[in-house]
Amino acid sequence: MLETQELAIRGMDCADCSARVQRALLALPGVVSAEVYLASEKAVVRFDASRLGPADLRRAVESTGYSVQPQAPASVPSSRPIYVRLTTILGILFGAVLFIVVVGEWLGLFGRITGLVPFPLGVALVAVGGWPVFRNVLHAARNRQVTAHTLMTLGMLAALAIGEWATAAVIVFFMRVGEYVERLTTESSRAALKSLTAMAPSTARLERDSKLIEVPIEEVRAGDVVVVRPGERTPVDGRVVTGQATVDQSTITGESMPMEAGEGTIVYATSLVQLGGLRVEASAVGPETTFGRVVKMVEEAEAHRSDVQRFADRFTGYYLPLVAGIAALTFLIRRDPLATAAVLVVACSCAIALATPIAMLASIGAGAKRGLLIKGGKYLEALARADTVLIDKTGTLTSGKPRITDVFPTNGASSSELLRVAAAAERHSEHPLAEAVREAADAAGLAPIEPSTFQALPGLGVRARVDGMEVVVGNRRLLPEAARHPLAADLQNQGKTLLFVVLGGELTGILAASDTLRPEVPAAIAALRSLGIENFELLTGDNRSTAAALAAELGVPYRAELLPEDKIGVVAEYQARGATVVMVGDGVNDAPALAKADVGIAMGAAGVDVAIEAAHVALMREDWTLVPELFRIARRTMKVVKMNLLYTAIYNFLGLGLAAAGLLPPVLAAAAQSLPDLGILANSSRLLRQK
Ligand code: ADP
Ligand code: MG
């Protein structure tokens, strides 16, 4: 039986670390899949519970030198024990002094200071100072893995072998500096995630037996009523029972303009309640909330690696053997142990491995705070090279709130009788048109009635049984006979969407609905054009004339009367021509097409769980200005990624060349290898601040 377990792992500081943990987990017989996330410090493992248990997983992780925390809340910040910090500070002081001395000696300023300290004492200093690094190298070796630190340790040993203990000490020192810099870089990529999770309240004020008690959020259940006071964040997703307040939902939607909330309003966990208080009946708690889902997606974004990332990962695999080869050649040809040591020491592969994920995570983190949930670097990469944008109509281009404008009974029934039956048939449909029909019936003062059966026909309409009669409400494609009614042509020419109502096999009336284009769409399309996107197409299940009117307004081609699966076909058709396709939809009835596209963007996904799950990018508010913004973020990210990679590649090969030529003493080589990480960190952190 397959089981999924989440493990919280502490101590992973480098891109290499997570890969090593992953390999150790995958090596266990019975493990089906293992994803290790560096930024969120967790592993998600699927395994055969009849062959191994959680204890085996834990042991595998520990064999790589990291520890497993009993529980997995991502919000717990990892802090290091005080003695580790103390030894780091002492180590840095000591190393700095040594560095000055050794460089001084290299420049010939001091005599031979290496000789001043007895050799065994020097070796002891190296061993103590470098212990944490050596331990990791040993752990890796035991799992038959070679890391960058393995090579550096070899270089350090080479220096020791020729009696240069001071050089070895400086190498060890800079290995630790490098490690520290890498930890800083990793921590910074965690920062975006942590500042996100920090928004979630950890307690809730519950009403129990007319008393208020404060409980940990884990104890709140759906159906509980929580009390939120002004200045506090909502701990749950839910419906306002009583109260009046303005609510800032920017943590979810990125929209900082507060909205009015009163009885019946849906509020999301982490929304800030201002100027008033609310009593909220919880509908979802913790990971089930919209916010919880967003956090989980961001935490697991690392799993959707971009091609660049895959390439860099693969390259890192070849890089270390390459370096070992160059070192061997250097030794064979030049017979110079110091140059060989320098080659081994200068070759840190960490920067190459980190160049991509650091930039991706910065953008994904920054996006999440602005209502753009991007599920992985893969999608940023595809967005940056996308050339085609396909757009769903209902609920995406249009407000998603159509209104019924005309009610035409056709066989003598009254308008209210027609509406009554139609609304009953549409009672359980989530389609925006169904909502419009129910609203029209409501406005006419009709009490809702329950259908005895109900079936949704995606892209077509609905079929139900009402008062013992079969009712079909749908479009021309579903009801071609009905659509031949003379009224139909006339209404359709007004660009309206027609709903034919067939009762007991006979047309009883036609409802016409109209929907308005979202006001910000034309500007957003223009912005996309100015970004060089050339191909647009409007895809809709609605009728031709409605589609034509809208398409003309935007100046884009269209295809109408499509079923959801036809939309998948259109996406595939573009892809077959080599296009990179972005599809923008509502994420509900067009989810399959979104999934098929290279990047599927769901509009207005806050609170719509299926949309959040289905899309590659979820826009948490219904706002088209987010679309060009997303493209811009993607392009800027890829630019930074390419800069990072180019910079580290040049830096590494220059370093290797100089070291092999004997022009870079091991001491400077050691100092140099810790710099690229800092460069990447500085370059990528620009993405966190992007506007
Ligand atoms: P779009 O592709 O524009 O987003 P949909 O695929 O959601 O549109 O729906 C396509 C068409 O199917 C609608 O224009 C409507 O004619 C019909 N339809 C779908 N669901 C319903 C429903 N619940 N009631 C009536 N008609 C519906
Ligand atoms: Mg739609």
Side-chain angles (χ1 to χ4, degrees), residues 392 394 586 589-590:
D392 168 66
T394 315
D586 55 31
N589 52 25
D590 46 16

Side-chain angles (χ1 to χ4, degrees), residues 22-23 25 34 63 98 106 125 139 225 245 270 275 350 486 491 496 524 530 541 639-640 658 685:
Q22 184 183 31
R23 261 176 276 151
L25 285 168
S63 80
L98 258 185
W106 176 54
L125 274 175
H139 269 299
V225 172
T270 72
L275 308 173
C350 334
L491 282 167
K496 288 179 178 170
S530 74
K639 217 194 259 172
V640 169
L658 288 176
S685 61

Side-chain angles (χ1 to χ4, degrees), residues 451-485:
S452 52
T453 64
F454 166 78
Q455 186 190 7
L457 310 165
L460 297 170
V462 294
R463 173 178 291 134
R465 189 161 277 278
V466 180
D467 299 339
M469 295 263 272
E470 171 167 89
V471 187
V472 183
V473 183
N475 56 17
R476 164 195 298 270
R477 191 157 173 174
L478 181 65
L479 301 161
E481 284 294 316
R484 276 199 269 281
H485 195 280

Side-chain angles (χ1 to χ4, degrees), residues 392-395 426 429 431-434 457-462 473-475 497-499 539-543 562 564 567 586 589-590:
D392 168 66
K393 185 185 76 85
T394 315
E426 296 279 22
S429 164
H431 202 274
L433 283 171
L457 310 165
L460 297 170
V462 294
V473 183
N475 56 17
T497 302
L498 302 189
L499 284 75
L539 306 181
T540 178
D542 207 345
N543 68 64
L562 299 174
K567 294 184 190 173
D586 55 31
N589 52 25
D590 46 16

